[in-house]
Amino acid sequence: MAVILALAVLQGCSAIKLAYNNAPEFGYWWLDAYADLDDVQAPRVREELARLLLWHRSTELVKIADLLQKARLLAPADTTPEQVCGLFADVRKRVDAVLAQAEAPAVDVMMGLSAAQLARVEAKFSKNNKEWQTDWIAGGPAERQARRLKSSVERSEQFYGTLEERQLAVLRLSIQQSGFDPQLSYVERLRRQRDMLQTLRQSISVPGGPRPGVALATGAWRAVLERSISSPNPAYLAYADRAVNDSCKSFALLHNSTTPEQRERAARRLAAYERDARELASKP
């Protein structure tokens, strides 16, 4: 079922294997684009990312394959929003496992950042925010809905193939009835960035000053992640819960509108992903 899109944007079996095996390199370049890692940090980060991949291959890939199998077996039948949200919750557990495993190296990187690197992170946030505004805020309501529909159609057709007009109508209505609030989302985005930057500033070593304790830095890292997952803003927290429920309902409605042929196509795609995951897990 297309809920597994929450795991990744997957374009093809060979692409999955290639991307997975090169995940440490992709992860390194992503981090470097934010912090401009120096000659001391770079090899340590590469080593930790490679170690994380080994752990994930040996521990998590089979669990992901089992989750894909679960979705594949559900694909031929109608579904409910509750089933979809249950699969989302399963995906969330897998993400949480990775975050927990990556905690110690993430804290080590955080504590080793310089003031200049934090300024680079802040500048990167600003650049990304402009792109986010272009994607989600620019234009009137009709333009924003059109962009959301285009994105939803592209994701759905990766699994089901070309959607019929009645299925497009399901997506249009779901988008029109959703409570998506780009301004509220943007305010929360800025809050998270400020929170992260403040946490980073409190955790770095100041030249000539005491090095922050690892225990304190670890506690700060856990706290900022928790605030990212569960916002301290009650209005946004309620909005996020509604958004998840809307997404589960929207997907259930779309899936239930698909033909047996489209569901079979989705099941074959999920089976291919499952096969790739099991092969990757068995070949270190």
Side-chain angles (χ1 to χ4, degrees):
M1 296 167 68
V3 69
I4 303 304
L5 283 169
L7 290 173
V9 178
L10 304 174
Q11 300 295 336
C13 296
S14 60
I16 296 172
K17 292 180 179 179
L18 180 63
Y20 187 83
N21 287 326
N22 287 280
E25 191 66 14
F26 295 148
Y28 169 80
W29 288 112
W30 183 84
L31 288 169
D32 189 57
Y34 275 87
D36 190 20
L37 301 171
D38 62 30
D39 291 342
V40 174
Q41 295 164 329
R44 290 170 56 189
V45 168
R46 288 183 186 275
E47 181 181 344
E48 290 296 344
L49 288 171
R51 186 177 292 116
L52 182 63
L53 180 68
L54 288 175
W55 165 84
H56 191 271
R57 189 190 297 271
S58 65
T59 304
E60 285 294 302
L61 266 183
V62 171
K63 296 176 183 177
I64 291 174
D66 291 343
L67 180 53
L68 288 162
Q69 180 185 54
K70 179 180 179 180
R72 173 174 59 81
L73 294 175
L74 290 172
D78 280 358
T79 190
T80 66
E82 291 74 21
Q83 282 181 309
V84 177
C85 278
L87 286 173
F88 274 131
D90 289 340
V91 171
R92 178 72 249 182
K93 291 176 183 177
R94 305 280 52 85
V95 174
D96 288 344
V98 173
L99 290 175
Q101 184 68 21
E103 179 181 89
V107 170
D108 183 63
V109 171
M110 177 176 72
M111 295 178 67
L113 294 175
S114 67
Q117 287 174 316
L118 292 191
R120 183 181 174 90
V121 171
E122 188 169 14
K124 183 70 171 177
F125 281 162
S126 179
K127 179 178 181 294
N128 290 348
N129 288 340
K130 293 177 182 177
E131 296 174 358
W132 195 95
Q133 288 177 305
T134 298
D135 291 339
W136 300 107
I137 296 181
E143 292 176 81
R144 291 196 292 269
Q145 288 185 7
R147 289 197 296 269
R148 292 177 62 202
L149 177 63
K150 182 176 183 292
S151 178
S152 295
V153 170
E154 289 174 351
R155 291 195 304 268
S156 299
E157 289 188 339
Q158 289 180 26
F159 281 84
Y160 295 118
T162 303
L163 298 182
E164 300 176 358
E165 180 53 41
R166 63 189 178 88
Q167 294 157 353
L168 295 175
V170 169
L171 290 179
R172 288 193 196 96
L173 184 60
S174 295
I175 289 172
Q176 290 169 4
Q177 293 180 341
S178 78
F180 178 63
D181 185 337
Q183 290 294 344
L184 182 59
S185 298
Y186 186 63
V187 169
E188 173 65 13
R189 179 184 177 89
L190 295 178
R191 183 206 65 77
R192 291 177 182 176
Q193 291 173 351
R194 290 193 300 269
D195 194 5
M196 178 60 73
L197 287 168
Q198 181 178 4
T199 300
L200 293 176
R201 291 189 182 101
Q202 292 173 345
S203 301
I204 65 174
S205 299
V206 179
R211 178 177 173 82
V214 174
L216 288 176
T218 300
W221 176 254
R222 290 177 183 173
V224 75
L225 287 184
E226 177 59 29
R227 290 191 295 272
S228 294
I229 296 168
S230 182
S231 175
N233 178 356
Y236 182 82
L237 190 59
Y239 163 74
D241 287 340
R242 290 194 302 271
V244 170
N245 290 331
D246 283 348
S247 295
C248 294
K249 180 181 177 181
S250 175
F251 175 74
L253 289 171
L254 174 64
H255 181 76
N256 294 345
S257 75
T258 57
T259 66
E261 293 76 17
Q262 287 173 317
R263 296 182 189 189
E264 175 60 25
R265 187 183 189 279
R268 289 198 305 270
R269 179 60 64 92
L270 289 165
Y273 294 163
E274 177 193 345
R275 183 173 60 251
D276 276 0
R278 296 195 191 281
E279 288 178 0
L280 284 165
S282 66
K283 297 177 182 178

